[in-house]
């Protein structure tokens, strides 16, 4: 016969008060007890947020994909080791912490203590490295799944004459190669805040739809996937679906 702690009844009562009807099926799963309480804390944070920016940030950082990077094995050789400053800024941005001194950006806008302007600034060099890193990760993931792929393939043009970001050299599905185009949009940009403060990933999904329109002409010969992500870590619908396919490839 198993022993029962004399505090069990009291603990259950306190838990049920905080999380009505959420008691775990398995009393011995610490994860299940914690999940219900963490969901409560998150909801309280979202409900008490005082600005659309805070709400959008909380919604985005609480998506599953926004924390994938925390599960990556830190390795210098495969590019997953973050230096101290990068890690500090990354965590600070997600927490909405004060991470820098206010100053004037060379675009003329004021950069506040939270550092969000740099994520949306049209003159920020970070936009290019984010885009390049994103495509590098997609290509390496395909290669790891034994699907050789190249970046910026020649001979394929979208409606505005630009090239897609990448293409597989072997068929991906239905005898057709995969062509992808990736984009990273800012969750907190003025142009997106109206939708991102309501649901996570909506700016990325919107960007993916815009990409689909630009690539309408190649969809008959290729499987086209727009891969939209946001600066606060949430992904678009197509990116999530492609990632699922890639995991089972
Ligand atoms: Zn700027």
């Amino acid at each position: 016969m198993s022993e029962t702690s004399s505090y069990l009844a009291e603990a259950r009562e306190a838990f049920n008060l905080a999380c009505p009807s959420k008691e775990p099926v398995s009393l011995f799963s610490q994860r299940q007890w914690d999940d219900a309480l963490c969901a409560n804390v998150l909801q309280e944070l979202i409900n008490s947020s005082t600005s659309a920016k805070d709400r959008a940030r909380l919604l985005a950082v609480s998506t599953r994909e926004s924390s994938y990077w925390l599960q990556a094995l830190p390795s210098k050789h495969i590019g997953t080791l973050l230096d101290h400053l990068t890690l500090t800024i990354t965590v600070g941005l997600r927490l909405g912490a004060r991470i820098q001194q206010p100053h004037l950006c060379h675009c003329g806008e004021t950069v506040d203590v939270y550092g969000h302007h740099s994520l949306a600034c049209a003159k920020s060099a970070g936009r290019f490295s984010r885009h390049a890193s994103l495509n590098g990760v997609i290509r390496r993931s395909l290669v790891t799944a034994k699907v050789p792929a190249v970046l910026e393939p020649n001979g394929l043009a979208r409606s505005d004459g630009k090239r897609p970001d990448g293409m597989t050299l072997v068929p991906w599905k239905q005898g057709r190669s995969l062509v992808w185009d990736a984009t990273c949009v800012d969750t907190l940009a003025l142009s997106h805040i109206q939708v991102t403060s309501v649901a996570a990933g909506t700016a990325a999904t919107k960007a993916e739809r815009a990409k689909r329109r630009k690539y309408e002409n190649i969809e008959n010969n290729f499987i086209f996937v727009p891969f939209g992500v946001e600066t606060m870590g949430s992904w678009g619908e197509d990116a999530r679906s492609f990632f699922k396919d890639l995991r089972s490839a």
Side-chain angles (χ1 to χ4, degrees), residues 123-137:
K123 295 202 171 175
S124 165
R127 287 186 307 132
F128 302 108
S129 55
R130 274 200 293 276
H131 189 250
S133 297
L134 184 53
N135 281 306
V137 170

Side-chain angles (χ1 to χ4, degrees), residues 105 107 109 117 121:
C105 177
C107 75
E109 289 271 330
H117 170 73
C121 178

